[in-house]
Amino acid sequence: MSLTTDLSRSTTRPGTNKSRAGTGATQAPRRRTRQRRERIFQWLFLVPAVVYMALFFGYPVVKNVVMSFQDYTTATFFTGEAPWVGFANYVTVLSSSLFSTSLLNTVLFTAGSILGQFVIGLALAIFFQRKFPLNGILRSLLLLPWLLPLIVSSAVWRWILDKDSGALNRFLGDLGLIHTGIPWLTSTSLALIAVVGVNIWIGIPFNLTILYGGLQEIPDELYEAGSLDGATGWKAFRHITWPMLRPVVSVVLVLGVVYTLKVLDIILGLTNGGPANSTQTIATQSYDLSFHEFKFGEGAALGNVLVIISLVFAVLYLRASRRAVDE
Amino acid sequence: MATQLTAPTRRRNTSTAVTNRRNWGYTALAIFFLAIMLFPVYWMVNASLQPNGTTLETSWIPLKPDFTGYATAISEQGGNLGTSLIISLGSVVLSLAIAAPAAYALAYFKVRGAGVVLFAILISQMIPGIVVANALYTAYNDLGLLNSIPGLILADSAHGIPFAILIIRAFMNGMPSSVIEAARVDGAGHVRAFWSIVIPLSRNSLITAGLFTFLFAWSDFLFALTLTTTEAVRPVTLGIFQYIGAYVNDWSSVMATAVLASIPAIVLLVAAQKYIAAGTTGGAVK
């Protein structure tokens, strides 16, 4: 196996010999065999994870690329044949009128969700920096929306936003603000806004937690020094908090974008992409193509478009996280 | 109390009494924010306790709690809850069995290729679930893994394993290596040292990873939706989706099911408080 040859070549690596420093250094060949055995053992700890990652992440990515160039349909399951079609799937998917709708919805859904989650999450994180009784308990209770299964949140919100008996419309009605129910989820102009609103609600705890952690890392002395120079309130935020928090902010934003791009549960649970595709995103459309229309090739092509968009942000993420670790 | 000790140092000129009163004001404000954020959770519980049928005008408070919603939920979704439980526990066992040794190898051995493995783990979190599901569906179809509990355990671990590796590795990085070296000098093999020293020492991180892995598998919707096509194996998330997919005229049963499906999250929040902080931050930033 190439694995073992590769390992035997790297017998003199720092940091691994410490435990053997005291044992007889005279028998070099014997020691080398022992070191090789040692390395094989070390790899065995890692092998299950590598195999799993290869099967459940590596394989799907490769398979999706292959499928996206094939006419892969339900018939394939019976005949076993999936003819090569070149870029036909990509052409079909990208030139369909639905694609521009999904792309725009994806951008609006992602940008709206991130903006809302981040601003509210940051505001709450700053608020919870104050020392007051019950701070810890209240802050951890705020995590609940994040821990609930997404489909549960979708079901609850679907009812709260119901036109006729939903809690939101009844509340607005009781205040005298509206007289007829607002069709939050069934109107083409409101559905996307409603879905974004729910996704903001789900994302606030995550943003709050990470940003709060970042704020805790900023040394108090900076604020004390700042206040001597007259930097308090907004000035302190602009000149101390924001620059110091930047690495954490970039991680939160990029992770948020990557997670939001692939959201499926919330949209399927709330609107199923409707009404009239007004909440259809690239992710939901890819699901539709594969699992409702059984055009697996086209679904794979659209999925790959999503992967490419995510990868752009992944690169940003890796750069951001490296910077966060460095600093 | 901590507040009395720390607050005056920041504002030296204000008396303790004034500071305290202001602090309780912040508490009230925090409770107000919490009330808004948790209203949907309250509404779920409230609605689950309302009598059947008259859902058009659900009262704001369940003055006469009625448990028929729960009776319906358990009789119709009880099996699905059991399925979810088996899948989630299976996913925890599989994820920890794969992730713990890997985390140990990555934290201790500095094996060649460790960087590549870590990079792959980070990238894997960016791959949309729909891409994985698309490929797995065709592979599962060939392998006969559709509509099977092992199939779902394997797929659901895709979320848990990379996360668990990151969490456990972050913890093991901070463990004193002298303890393991001492055991190795005493003649313990790698497996012995790992099993009888590393694992007991890493208990807390294993619990954190296990709890989150359970929650991920329990919450999974996408794989349940795409990799099951019959009623033979149906997790409760899919059960809820089918409830709300049809025209809903019995919200109290749906909400009762939602409450039952939320129990792991609530247990995690209440009973395992100290493990959550490690989990939320560990997986994301480190």
Side-chain angles (χ1 to χ4, degrees):
Chain A
M1 264 176 75
S2 64
L3 195 72
T4 48
T5 53
D6 186 46
L7 293 173
S8 61
R9 248 183 281 127
S10 59
T11 43
T12 53
R13 289 194 47 147
T16 50
N17 299 336
K18 265 185 272 168
S19 60
R20 270 162 264 124
T23 58
T26 42
Q27 293 162 309
R30 223 168 133 199
R31 197 178 60 180
R32 199 172 304 151
T33 21
R34 203 190 306 154
Q35 282 192 348
R36 190 181 303 170
R37 259 187 51 200
E38 187 92 325
R39 296 222 144 251
I40 294 170
F41 258 113
Q42 294 176 355
W43 256 98
L44 284 179
F45 278 86
L46 208 50
V47 163
V50 171
V51 170
Y52 184 87
M53 298 293 285
L55 286 178
F56 283 83
F57 289 104
Y59 166 78
V61 168
V62 173
K63 174 82 174 174
N64 253 267
V65 172
V66 174
M67 276 166 86
S68 69
F69 294 113
Q70 287 178 309
D71 185 18
Y72 207 112
T73 58
T74 353
T76 311
F77 293 121
F78 300 108
T79 60
E81 281 169 28
W84 289 92
V85 292
F87 283 92
N89 287 328
Y90 287 93
V91 173
T92 312
V93 165
L94 296 179
S95 64
S96 80
S97 60
L98 194 49
F99 177 72
S100 49
T101 311
S102 322
L103 183 64
L104 180 66
N105 286 343
T106 306
V107 171
L108 291 175
F109 177 73
T110 308
S113 300
I114 298 296
L115 191 71
Q117 291 170 5
F118 178 76
V119 171
I120 300 174
L122 181 61
L124 283 174
I126 291 172
F127 173 78
F128 274 99
Q129 268 212 298
R130 297 174 187 279
K131 295 184 173 66
F132 55 81
L134 305 179
N135 180 315
I137 294 172
L138 295 174
R139 192 156 35 85
S140 56
L141 281 175
L142 270 177
L143 279 177
L144 195 54
W146 181 64
L147 296 173
L148 292 180
L150 289 175
I151 203 73
V152 166
S153 303
S154 306
V156 175
W157 276 102
R158 192 164 164 146
W159 193 29
I160 291 176
L161 297 173
D162 188 87
K163 177 173 173 282
D164 299 316
S165 57
L168 182 59
N169 280 347
R170 277 180 52 198
F171 180 70
L172 294 174
D174 287 354
L175 289 180
L177 291 171
I178 56 168
H179 298 289
T180 49
I182 297 172
W184 295 105
L185 294 171
T186 46
S187 136
T188 49
S189 52
L190 288 174
L192 189 63
I193 297 172
V195 171
V196 168
V198 174
N199 199 41
I200 289 175
W201 177 77
I202 289 166
I204 288 172
F206 175 77
N207 281 263
L208 164 65
T209 308
I210 306 280
L211 292 170
Y212 180 82
L215 287 173
Q216 296 301 100
E217 304 283 305
I218 304 176
D220 277 347
E221 295 84 57
L222 279 181
Y223 290 103
E224 281 160 25
S227 70
L228 291 177
D229 296 336
T232 51
W234 171 248
K235 264 189 182 165
F237 176 80
R238 253 210 76 192
H239 297 289
I240 302 169
T241 311
W242 187 252
M244 292 294 288
L245 201 60
R246 270 252 296 278
V248 181
V249 167
S250 47
V251 169
V252 166
L253 288 182
V254 176
L255 273 183
V257 169
V258 171
Y259 290 155
T260 312
L261 278 174
K262 56 182 183 184
V263 162
L264 208 79
D265 315 35
I266 301 157
I267 295 174
L268 290 186
L270 283 172
T271 61
N272 235 322
N277 292 319
S278 59
T279 55
Q280 198 78 258
T281 62
I282 296 182
T284 60
Q285 201 197 335
S286 170
Y287 164 75
D288 258 2
L289 282 169
S290 288
F291 293 100
H292 282 160
E293 300 179 33
F294 299 107
K295 296 172 180 164
F296 287 94
E298 292 182 18
L302 198 56
N304 289 337
V305 172
L306 196 59
V307 171
I308 291 167
I309 300 174
S310 299
L311 271 182
V312 172
F313 287 96
V315 171
L316 288 175
Y317 167 70
L318 289 171
R319 287 182 54 184
S321 63
R322 196 176 308 144
R323 218 179 308 139
V325 169
D326 288 346
E327 275 168 29
Chain B
M1 266 180 77
T3 47
Q4 277 152 339
L5 287 174
T6 47
T9 54
R10 269 215 169 164
R11 298 177 188 281
R12 277 174 212 111
N13 297 332
T14 28
S15 75
T16 320
V18 173
T19 321
N20 266 352
R21 202 179 312 140
R22 184 180 300 157
N23 285 347
W24 280 105
Y26 288 134
T27 306
L29 201 55
I31 290 172
F32 174 70
F33 292 146
L34 194 70
I36 296 174
M37 276 295 284
L38 294 193
F39 174 77
V41 182
Y42 168 74
W43 196 242
M44 169 174 78
V45 177
N46 173 39
S48 73
L49 293 169
Q50 304 279 348
N52 277 344
T54 56
T55 45
L56 208 66
E57 279 292 304
T58 312
S59 63
W60 294 101
I61 305 161
L63 289 173
K64 290 179 197 148
D66 178 293
F67 291 92
T68 45
Y70 284 90
T72 317
I74 289 170
S75 71
E76 287 179 9
Q77 301 278 355
N80 297 343
L81 284 162
T83 304
S84 284
L85 189 66
I86 294 169
I87 291 172
S88 306
L89 289 175
S91 180
V92 170
V93 173
L94 179 72
S95 298
L96 291 185
I98 290 182
Y104 177 58
L106 290 172
Y108 265 96
F109 296 146
K110 316 220 162 16
V111 282
R112 187 175 264 209
V116 178
V117 175
L118 277 176
F119 182 76
I121 289 171
L122 280 177
I123 288 291
S124 75
Q125 300 195 316
M126 324 266 161
I127 297 169
I130 186 65
V131 167
V132 179
N134 202 19
L136 281 190
Y137 180 83
T138 58
Y140 272 28
N141 190 49
D142 295 341
L143 297 168
L145 278 173
L146 289 179
N147 302 310
S148 77
I149 286 184
L152 276 179
I153 290 176
L154 278 165
D156 284 353
S157 301
H159 204 158
I161 287 175
F163 179 84
I165 293 178
L166 291 179
I167 292 273
I168 302 172
R169 176 182 158 272
F171 179 86
M172 287 182 175
N173 266 337
M175 218 158 60
S177 56
S178 53
V179 185
I180 295 146
E181 273 157 25
R184 300 276 294 126
V185 168
D186 285 349
H190 270 307
V191 178
R192 260 279 305 285
F194 174 70
W195 185 252
S196 52
I197 293 169
V198 177
I199 290 291
L201 278 178
S202 326
R203 217 193 63 186
N204 278 1
S205 71
L206 291 170
I207 294 176
T208 308
L211 288 169
F212 275 88
T213 306
F214 185 94
L215 205 58
F216 291 153
W218 180 271
S219 312
D220 164 66
F221 169 67
L222 179 61
F223 291 131
L225 182 66
T226 52
L227 302 179
T228 66
T229 50
T230 63
E231 280 187 41
V233 174
R234 175 160 294 174
V236 70
T237 47
L238 198 54
I240 292 175
F241 182 61
Q242 258 137 12
Y243 259 172
I244 58 176
Y247 172 72
V248 189
N249 55 6
D250 180 13
W251 275 107
S252 61
S253 304
V254 182
M255 289 301 114
T257 313
V259 170
L260 295 174
S262 305
I263 288 174
I266 292 164
V267 168
L268 184 67
L269 195 72
V270 174
Q273 190 52 59
K274 68 171 174 175
Y275 301 109
I276 294 185
T280 41
T281 49
V285 185
K286 277 168 196 158

